[in-house]
Amino acid sequence: MRKRYRLHLRGHEQLDRWLVSYADYMTLIFALFVVLYSVAMVDKDKFRVVIEGMTQAFEARPLQGEGLLEREGPAIVPPAPAPDKIIPDPSQAQAIALAPISGVPMAQQGEPLPTLDAQLRKAMAPLLEAGLVDIQQDKEWLNIALDSALLFSSGSAFMGPNASPLLNSLSSILKPVDNYVRIRGYTDNQQIHNEIFSSNWALSAARAEAVLTTLIGQGIAPQRLAFEAYGEFSPFASNETEGGRAKNRQVVVAISRLRWVAPPAPAAQPVVAQVEQSAPQTDAQAIRVIALPGGGIRITTRQD
């Protein structure tokens, strides 16, 4: 009886082991349904905010919204100063002042070009109406195109009688300001043949130089001036007609929007008194070699 009872208990234990596996399975099923329920009940607005935040973080874009991380706080590293607030090095101030026209900084603005344009149009109104002078303005230059017939004779670089009053009127406006000025000479494509000018290029250079010399004589600082020669290679109109060739024979006075800055005066050098040195005294023991009449020599230290 005791043995049979033991066998009965052992068989009962083996039959109940399936409950452990069943319980594990039910636990997994319960966990699965909890996860599915949580996914189904997710807040779409909050989920979208999380996705956008992660996307902006990876793309290094500023966050948008009202999150806690968007509030401003004390910066660990101080921000760099803005470009327009950078204090220039004092050692560079002189270099900026001495910069030529090709490297003048933006800060060195001269007299505004619209102001000069209005003054020139008022002073040259009759010539503008007659078509002998043309004034054009762009961002960098104010160009006054002067007909060569107003200034020079045909094939010549000598000033005519009409040049003086025209250039006097021009210099009266240019002299009070500090803008850079370039004088540019142009010609047509008709080749010149004389003993003075070998080419149209030389003629355009001579005419531009003549205008520059006149402006210097009327008191304009030569440091502001320069002349350029283009000859026949930069025409304004076609050279096929007489009207086009006449338009190409020009002297253009170009006024820059930038100004010339006079260099600072050099610092006075200290005067050092120099002690006048006396002539070196002859060494009394200097050796002398004297040639003798018979062909011999005599070595002595005497100076007499």
Side-chain angles (χ1 to χ4, degrees), residues 17-48:
R17 293 186 62 181
W18 65 272
L19 294 174
V20 177
S21 299
Y22 179 76
D24 294 339
Y25 175 75
M26 293 302 295
T27 303
L28 294 175
I29 292 297
F30 177 75
L32 174 62
F33 278 99
V34 169
V35 172
L36 293 176
Y37 177 78
S38 63
V39 171
M41 297 301 294
V42 67
D43 191 340
K44 295 182 180 181
D45 295 334
K46 294 183 178 179
F47 183 75
R48 187 180 300 107

Side-chain angles (χ1 to χ4, degrees), residues 2-304:
R2 183 178 296 176
K3 185 176 181 181
R4 183 179 300 176
Y5 179 74
R6 291 178 179 175
L7 292 174
H8 175 74
L9 293 177
R10 186 180 301 174
H12 181 74
E13 292 176 355
Q14 293 177 355
L15 291 176
D16 293 341
R17 293 186 62 181
W18 65 272
L19 294 174
V20 177
S21 299
Y22 179 76
D24 294 339
Y25 175 75
M26 293 302 295
T27 303
L28 294 175
I29 292 297
F30 177 75
L32 174 62
F33 278 99
V34 169
V35 172
L36 293 176
Y37 177 78
S38 63
V39 171
M41 297 301 294
V42 67
D43 191 340
K44 295 182 180 181
D45 295 334
K46 294 183 178 179
F47 183 75
R48 187 180 300 107
V49 172
V50 173
I51 296 299
E52 291 180 357
M54 295 178 62
T55 304
Q56 293 171 355
F58 283 109
E59 294 182 359
R61 295 186 302 176
L63 294 175
Q64 299 177 356
E66 298 180 354
L68 294 177
L69 297 179
E70 298 170 12
R71 297 180 181 178
E72 297 182 356
I76 299 177
V77 180
D84 56 346
K85 296 182 180 179
I86 297 178
I87 301 175
D89 187 358
S91 62
Q92 298 178 356
Q94 183 175 0
I96 293 176
L98 297 178
I101 189 171
S102 58
V104 173
M106 297 290 292
Q108 292 189 7
Q109 298 287 342
E111 185 73 15
L113 295 184
T115 302
L116 296 175
D117 189 357
Q119 295 177 1
L120 289 168
R121 290 184 181 276
K122 182 178 180 180
M124 300 182 178
L127 296 175
L128 288 170
E129 294 177 359
L132 299 176
V133 175
D134 184 28
I135 299 177
Q136 298 293 333
Q137 179 185 342
D138 55 28
K139 293 182 179 180
E140 301 295 331
W141 299 93
L142 177 62
N143 300 307
I144 304 100
L146 308 176
D147 194 328
S148 294
L150 285 173
L151 304 175
F152 309 99
S153 301
S154 178
S156 173
F158 293 101
M159 292 287 185
N162 297 323
S164 180
L166 175 60
L167 295 181
N168 286 338
S169 178
L170 181 61
S171 63
S172 65
I173 298 174
L174 295 180
K175 187 176 179 180
V177 301
D178 293 327
N179 298 59
Y180 284 100
V181 179
R182 286 184 177 177
I183 295 91
R184 300 165 178 168
Y186 302 88
T187 65
D188 57 21
N189 65 345
Q190 301 297 313
Q191 297 299 322
I192 187 171
H193 300 284
N194 58 34
E195 64 278 4
I196 301 177
F197 304 108
S198 59
S199 64
N200 287 329
W201 217 336
L203 175 61
S204 65
R207 287 179 170 178
E209 183 182 8
V211 174
L212 179 141
T213 304
T214 303
L215 294 179
I216 293 176
Q218 293 175 351
I220 298 178
Q223 294 87 347
R224 297 170 49 197
L225 303 176
F227 73 88
E228 303 170 355
Y230 293 89
E232 61 191 86
F233 304 105
S234 297
F236 297 94
S238 174
N239 284 301
E240 299 298 327
T241 63
E242 179 58 33
R245 289 191 294 270
K247 186 175 181 60
N248 292 332
R249 295 189 294 267
Q250 292 185 9
V251 175
V252 177
V253 179
I255 306 172
S256 173
R257 65 179 178 84
L258 303 176
R259 66 185 177 94
W260 169 74
V261 179
Q269 299 294 332
V271 179
V272 180
Q274 297 181 355
V275 180
E276 184 177 355
Q277 298 180 355
S278 59
Q281 298 180 358
T282 304
D283 188 359
Q285 301 297 325
I287 299 175
R288 297 179 60 197
V289 179
I290 302 174
L292 300 177
I297 59 173
R298 181 164 64 92
I299 300 176
T300 180
T301 58
R302 298 178 60 181
Q303 302 299 322
D304 53 355

